[in-house]
Amino acid sequence: MERARSLNPSVVMQHRCRRSSAKPERVEICHYDWPDAGPENDHAHRPSVSASTSYADNGLTVRFRVDDDFVTCARTAFNDQVCEDSCCEFFVSPGALSHAASDYWNFEINAAGTMLCYHCFPGSGERRPLSRDDAACMLVESSLHPTRATAADAGVAIAPGDAATSYDLEFTVPWDVFGGEDSPAPAAGTVWSCNFYKCGDRTKHPHWGCWAPVGSRRPNFHRPEDFQQLIFS
């Protein structure tokens, strides 16, 4: 498993997105850099989270494996504010060197598989939600809600608990979402930019973690200038 390194101009972090037939490369969300952000300054809660990606002709698949002592999910509808629940997030920009004005997609998924998906344009400040038609084409799996099939499906609530819980999340985004109808998979060697996150804004123990360090004083995942390389191989 690759552990994220300190961010500096001379070091580029890389994550390899391999074909679905190959063993995926896993990365670890280990930077919890805002110890005083929670309402009670709770800086002891650091869920263990790993992430991986893979790709095939039908789309880009993202997976999270989470070990957490406190899990809660109150949001059950597509594009609800799932960041307030026990949540994992993947932000991605189809460009090798994203910057502050780069457009990007943010995919957020709570522990029960409910998702929020937006196409964001920092230059104008617009954040455009994905349609329910797009959501119906996105396959979603949660080990805590095994009957869920797509991002458009209704979710379930999970009451706050204090028991150790391990769960797996997976979703697949069709290439059409990124590039329009009949978009092909990127060629091997293509480089995009991305970051992986873990959060729980309004859980019993608020927390904000990331794979690639984020250069903000307060929690802010919407910083494409801090994304790192996603290499299709």
Side-chain angles (χ1 to χ4, degrees):
M1 180 182 296
E2 179 185 341
R3 181 175 291 273
R5 293 165 286 176
S6 297
L7 187 64
N8 66 66
S10 63
V11 176
V12 175
M13 295 171 60
Q14 297 178 338
H15 168 61
R16 295 193 176 275
C17 181
R18 295 169 175 156
R19 277 280 179 179
S20 56
S21 57
K23 182 179 179 179
E25 177 183 275
R26 303 195 70 84
V27 298
E28 185 177 356
I29 295 175
C30 60
H31 289 276
Y32 290 87
D33 295 334
W34 299 283
D36 299 319
E40 300 176 359
N41 293 336
D42 179 5
H43 54 82
H45 187 55
R46 301 290 182 265
S48 174
V49 186
S50 64
S52 67
T53 61
S54 63
Y55 74 108
D57 291 342
N58 67 319
L60 173 66
T61 297
V62 182
R63 300 177 183 88
F64 293 94
R65 172 71 175 178
V66 183
D67 295 305
D68 198 350
D69 293 333
F70 309 96
V71 174
T72 182
C73 296
R75 283 77 190 166
T76 60
F78 178 61
N79 277 341
D80 275 355
Q81 291 298 309
V82 295
C83 63
E84 299 178 352
D85 292 338
S86 300
C87 181
C88 294
E89 305 187 3
F90 174 71
F91 287 29
V92 63
S93 179
L97 295 173
S98 61
H99 50 80
S102 297
D103 68 300
Y104 61 94
W105 282 259
N106 69 294
F107 300 98
E108 307 177 9
I109 182 169
N110 72 12
T114 300
M115 294 196 69
L116 176 146
C117 309
Y118 273 70
H119 188 185
C120 302
F121 301 85
S124 64
E126 180 185 6
R127 294 183 180 178
R128 186 182 303 164
L130 267 65
S131 69
R132 290 194 65 83
D133 287 343
D134 284 332
C137 296
M138 293 177 55
L139 303 178
V140 177
E141 295 182 20
S142 166
S143 59
L144 300 183
H145 183 18
T147 61
R148 188 179 194 96
T150 76
D153 296 338
V156 297
I158 298 176
D162 293 342
T165 303
S166 297
Y167 59 93
D168 295 287
L169 299 169
E170 177 178 319
F171 60 89
T172 298
V173 185
W175 300 118
D176 291 359
V177 169
F178 298 112
E181 188 174 358
D182 298 324
S183 294
T190 299
V191 181
W192 288 8
S193 304
C194 75
N195 207 348
F196 303 89
Y197 308 100
K198 175 71 179 78
C199 65
D201 293 15
R202 295 194 176 182
T203 59
K204 183 176 180 180
H205 296 275
H207 55 276
W208 297 267
C210 49
W211 164 60
V214 173
S216 62
R217 295 178 62 88
R218 304 291 292 175
N220 180 10
F221 295 165
H222 292 269
R223 290 176 55 90
E225 62 267 40
D226 293 323
F227 294 178
Q228 295 293 297
Q229 290 187 347
L230 175 71
I231 303 173
F232 293 90
S233 60

